[in-house]
Amino acid sequence: MKKHLLLSAFIILGLTSCSNERAAIDNVESMKGPEMANFNKALRSVNQPKNRPTPTERNPNSLELSDSRKELLVPASKDLILSTGISEKEMMRQTGGDKTKIIVWANKIYFEKNKEINRSLKLEN
């Protein structure tokens, strides 16, 4: 009888522990928002084999992305920047429509928001 009671206590403890982890993951995802999720997907898609630069696009002396890879990131980058309350007119004024500047700006926003989320999670725990 003690074995069954002890076993059921461990099972209940394990199930509640797993459900708490899932809740924490869901909480983080809800804090990010759709723009951050789309930007994250775009970042991942850049590194997929089908989107890697061709030998003609590859420049061994530069770390800059090829134009085709920039095109994958620009729409998600613009959405992320606009989600902060910046108008499209202001974004174009500050970047001059330069794709690289838009992507860099979105990267800064993305990593700043990730820092904020991590800080708030540490405060909760």
Side-chain angles (χ1 to χ4, degrees), residues 39 77 81 98-111:
F39 187 73
S77 298
I81 293 168
D98 184 7
K99 294 174 188 173
T100 303
K101 289 180 181 178
I102 292 171
I103 293 168
V104 168
W105 190 3
N107 251 335
K108 288 178 183 177
I109 293 169
Y110 180 78
F111 288 113

Side-chain angles (χ1 to χ4, degrees), residues 60-72:
N61 299 326
S62 175
L63 295 174
E64 190 170 342
L65 294 172
S66 64
D67 288 336
S68 61
R69 295 174 90 191
K70 286 180 188 177
E71 288 298 323
L72 293 171

Side-chain angles (χ1 to χ4, degrees), residues 1 36 67 69 79 117:
M1 186 67 176
M36 284 192 62
D67 288 336
R69 295 174 90 191
D79 288 343
I117 290 169

